[in-house]
Amino acid sequence: LAKTTQPISMDSYEGQEVNITCSHNNIATNDYITWYQQFPSQGPRFIIQGYKTKVTNEVASLFIPADRKSSTLSLPRVSLSDTAVYYCLVGPISSGSARQLTFGSGTQLTVLP
Amino acid sequence: EAGVTQFPSHSVIEKGQTVTLRCDPISGHDNLYWYRRVMGKEIKFLLHFVKESKQDESGMPNNRFLAERTGGTYSTLKVQPAELEDSGVYFCASSPRTGGWNEQFFGPGTRLTVL
């Protein structure tokens, strides 16, 4: 199983761009990288997923280098409501079971006014 | 459309007692997953239902945990007897039949405290 490592916490100010990096040195060929967001008293919520290079949606961008041993979640112009825990997950999606998912410890992002 | 719901939101019990957690997935979702996060640790997979069948229960910690999904709708997770180390947050998630874990919608979780 690919283990993930993320910073425990990060602080930012409103309007700034936030980049959270996740290391996954043992990522397998058929593993995808997925990021979830979790607010207090809520379950994790899917943000973005990718396999390589760059993926962008209305919420965030995901940058994955060629070796795929790390990935960076980029949140443009954060607001106070982006304060949450962000999880980086690595696992197969086509043929694998959910048991192969690796939830990291998460990064507590705090956006300050 | 209603999301995944879990009941109760909190449960405080004494060691040795029995607790049953319930999860109601999104209507029509065949896949149902249970996860838990014990204090200070990572969220870990417990088991996966496809309709009423257990697809994978390799994450269940021991035989004190019993999960059921009668009729392929809601699911229950029973802990009997509960131990101190069972304290944590138990999450349920569901996804459509053709979806996988990456299309899961999570419930708010049940916080279990065993005293």
Side-chain angles (χ1 to χ4, degrees):
Chain A
L1 301 181
K3 181 176 173 59
T4 59
T5 303
Q6 308 172 230
I8 294 175
S9 63
M10 293 181 69
D11 289 343
S12 181
Y13 291 96
E14 281 191 290
Q16 290 188 332
E17 177 184 77
V18 171
N19 295 308
I20 306 175
T21 297
C22 177
S23 297
H24 27 80
N25 292 319
N26 297 326
I27 189 169
T29 302
N30 58 344
D31 285 345
Y32 279 69
I33 301 156
T34 308
W35 285 80
Y36 278 80
Q37 174 191 56
Q38 185 180 25
F39 298 111
S41 301
Q42 294 186 27
R45 181 177 74 101
F46 173 90
I47 300 178
I48 196 167
Q49 182 180 73
Y51 184 81
K52 61 180 180 180
T53 62
K54 176 184 176 182
V55 179
T56 298
N57 62 22
E58 65 278 6
V59 177
S61 293
L62 179 60
F63 298 93
I64 305 168
D67 66 6
R68 304 201 325 124
K69 294 183 182 299
S70 67
S71 59
T72 300
L73 174 71
S74 181
L75 304 172
R77 296 184 297 281
V78 294
S79 64
L80 297 177
S81 62
D82 291 317
T83 293
V85 177
Y86 292 81
Y87 292 98
C88 167
L89 275 70
V90 173
I93 62 172
S94 58
S95 60
S97 165
R99 66 180 162 87
Q100 298 184 54
L101 282 186
T102 302
F103 269 87
S105 55
T107 298
Q108 171 66 58
L109 172 66
T110 302
V111 180
L112 306 170
Chain B
E1 178 182 310
V4 177
T5 58
Q6 294 186 244
F7 181 84
S9 57
H10 294 83
S11 181
V12 181
I13 61 174
E14 294 187 350
K15 175 183 174 181
Q17 289 185 323
T18 298
V19 62
T20 300
L21 314 180
R22 172 170 171 145
C23 168
D24 285 81
I26 292 173
S27 178
H29 280 192
D30 287 350
N31 293 299
L32 187 149
Y33 309 82
W34 282 98
Y35 298 84
R36 75 169 180 176
R37 181 175 62 212
V38 295
M39 294 304 291
K41 299 290 182 62
E42 302 170 352
I43 297 175
K44 289 195 174 182
F45 167 82
L46 294 178
L47 87 159
H48 169 205
F49 282 101
V50 177
K51 295 187 178 180
E52 67 276 8
S53 299
K54 292 177 183 175
Q55 181 77 10
D56 183 348
E57 53 183 331
S58 60
M60 296 286 264
N62 51 62
N63 58 11
R64 295 186 294 103
F65 289 76
L66 175 64
E68 295 180 326
R69 192 182 182 193
T70 306
T73 54
Y74 70 91
S75 174
T76 58
L77 179 64
K78 179 188 290 186
V79 185
Q80 178 182 30
E83 298 289 344
L84 299 179
E85 63 265 25
D86 300 332
S87 294
V89 182
Y90 290 76
F91 293 103
C92 173
S94 71
S95 68
R97 178 176 60 86
T98 55
W101 63 262
N102 55 304
E103 296 178 58
Q104 294 176 94
F105 293 85
F106 280 80
T110 293
R111 182 173 295 278
L112 174 64
T113 301
V114 182
L115 303 176

